[in-house]
Amino acid sequence: MIVYLNGAYVPKSKAAISPDDRGFLFADGVYEVFAAYEGRLFRTADHLTRLERSLKALRIEFGDVAVVEEIAQTLLERNDLCGTNAKVYLQITRGAAPRNHAFPGADTSPTIYACASTFARPVEKRRVGVSATFVPDNRWARCDIKTVALLPNAIAAQTAEERDAEEAIFVRDGALTEGSHTNVCAAVDGTMVTAPLSNYILPGITRAVIMELCADFAIPVREFPVLFEEVPKLDELFLVGTTAEVMPIIEVDGTPIGSGRPGPIAQRLGEGFDGLVAGAVEGGA
Ligand SMILES: Cc1ncc(COP(=O)(O)O)c(C=O)c1O
């Protein structure tokens, strides 16, 4: 595997990062995950805008994030991933400097790392649906920044695995915030309901795509908290995210959702998502 590190494309085994890197010492960095369908990066501009916002929130001086698209595209080509579906992971940390909590001087340059690998679209999971589990949302109050400080998310995902669930859904103050690596949407009486953007959720690119699809399909949208106590009464619940795409939840902690089968709104949105992917592959998006 060829990866990108600080300006060079090198075999992964040759990529070395300093033990002084602040990503390692303090989780002082941000990341993005892009999907690429048959060599076409999906929603690149949206990912770059979010990356820029994350860098700004952490006050990491980076310059023009447009270079990231070129890096991602080059990785797809060098790893022979243009004829398949792939994901590109990109991480930017504040760089390496002797350990000191406060930021290092301006002479410290950010560390940029990126890699690409194959991505199997979750087609079967969309067809049959998945289960989820609830966990308390004990994360910090800046979940809107895509930082590499993902320990609570990692613990939540591990809890899900131990409970034989596909995803862990965080619950804060009686409302569903988001999954460990997904946003969460519900359907109630034909309306799509999803948590409003706030400092407690990541502004997901897929969430935005799904809301655009709702507009296209005349599905009403309500950005409003989905309450924990209302879960048994929901018609549908589904995960949305770059790698989850649109994934219906059929059961949470033993409680069936709606009919206990994937519902029509998630199905319609999933088909719409496929249409956007097909458009991107043809070079439209
Ligand atoms: C915590 C969290 N929420 C939501 C998402 C979904 O975001 P996106 O659709 O941009 O992949 C992710 C994706 O990694 C995530 O980590």
Side-chain angles (χ1 to χ4, degrees), residues 142-155:
R142 288 308 305 272
C143 303
D144 56 316
I145 312 171
K146 201 161 170 67
T147 80
V148 295
L150 290 172
L151 184 58
N153 306 59
I155 293 171

Side-chain angles (χ1 to χ4, degrees), residues 38-39 42 50 59 103 107 124 136 142 155 157 183 189 202 213-214 216 220 226 232 244 279 283:
E38 296 183 35
F42 190 66
R50 185 172 63 186
R59 289 191 272 151
F103 299 167
D107 54 336
E124 187 60 10
R142 288 308 305 272
I155 293 171
N183 288 112
D189 295 333
L202 188 78
L213 286 171
C214 284
D216 291 348
V226 178

Side-chain angles (χ1 to χ4, degrees), residues 101-134:
H101 287 64
F103 299 167
D107 54 336
T108 299
S109 27
T111 302
I112 314 162
Y113 170 73
C115 62
S117 55
T118 54
F119 162 55
R121 296 186 62 193
V123 178
E124 187 60 10
K125 285 177 181 166
R126 189 200 293 170
R127 195 180 66 80
V128 299
V130 296
S131 41
T133 189
F134 289 126

Side-chain angles (χ1 to χ4, degrees), residues 8-251:
Y9 294 91
V10 294
K12 193 174 187 183
S13 58
K14 294 275 187 316
I17 293 172
S18 166
D20 279 341
D21 196 278
R22 289 180 61 97
F24 174 59
L25 294 173
F26 295 112
D28 187 355
V30 301
Y31 77 107
E32 274 297 326
V33 178
F34 303 77
Y37 300 100
E38 296 183 35
R40 302 277 185 167
L41 289 159
F42 190 66
R43 294 284 168 149
T44 322
D46 296 339
H47 283 278
L48 294 183
T49 301
R50 185 172 63 186
L51 175 64
E52 202 163 28
R53 181 181 180 275
S54 301
L55 288 164
K56 204 174 236 174
L58 266 59
R59 289 191 272 151
I60 294 177
E61 298 286 339
F62 182 73
D64 192 352
V65 293
V67 299
V68 166
E69 180 169 5
E70 202 181 302
I71 294 167
Q73 202 65 55
T74 306
L75 283 173
L76 293 173
E77 284 156 23
R78 298 230 181 157
N79 289 287
D80 200 14
L81 291 168
C82 290
T84 183
N85 298 324
K87 59 186 179 209
V88 177
Y89 176 84
L90 168 99
Q91 175 168 333
I92 301 173
T93 75
R94 199 179 307 277
R99 189 177 184 280
N100 183 23
H101 287 64
F103 299 167
D107 54 336
T108 299
S109 27
T111 302
I112 314 162
Y113 170 73
C115 62
S117 55
T118 54
F119 162 55
R121 296 186 62 193
V123 178
E124 187 60 10
K125 285 177 181 166
R126 189 200 293 170
R127 195 180 66 80
V128 299
V130 296
S131 41
T133 189
F134 289 126
V135 293
D137 196 342
N138 53 12
R139 300 173 299 161
W140 72 332
R142 288 308 305 272
C143 303
D144 56 316
I145 312 171
K146 201 161 170 67
T147 80
V148 295
L150 290 172
L151 184 58
N153 306 59
I155 293 171
Q158 175 63 21
T159 301
E161 197 164 296
E162 288 163 7
R163 295 179 186 168
D164 278 331
E166 175 72 21
E167 175 64 305
I169 298 174
F170 289 116
V171 180
R172 187 189 292 267
D173 297 333
L176 283 48
T177 48
E178 61 182 341
S180 75
H181 57 282
T182 54
N183 288 112
V184 176
C185 301
V188 184
D189 295 333
T191 294
M192 205 278 279
V193 189
T194 192
L197 292 183
S198 75
N199 54 315
Y200 288 126
I201 70 165
L202 188 78
I205 307 301
T206 319
R207 176 186 178 280
V209 168
I210 289 307
M211 287 174 57
E212 285 170 26
L213 286 171
C214 284
D216 291 348
F217 299 152
I219 298 169
V221 172
R222 197 165 176 234
E223 290 183 82
F224 197 78
V226 178
L227 298 182
F228 174 77
E229 62 179 26
E230 286 173 358
V231 168
K233 293 186 277 179
L234 299 174
D235 297 325
E236 297 183 42
L237 192 62
F238 49 97
L239 305 168
V240 300
T242 296
T243 54
E245 299 186 344
V246 181
M247 196 175 280
I249 297 170
I250 53 172
E251 175 262 337

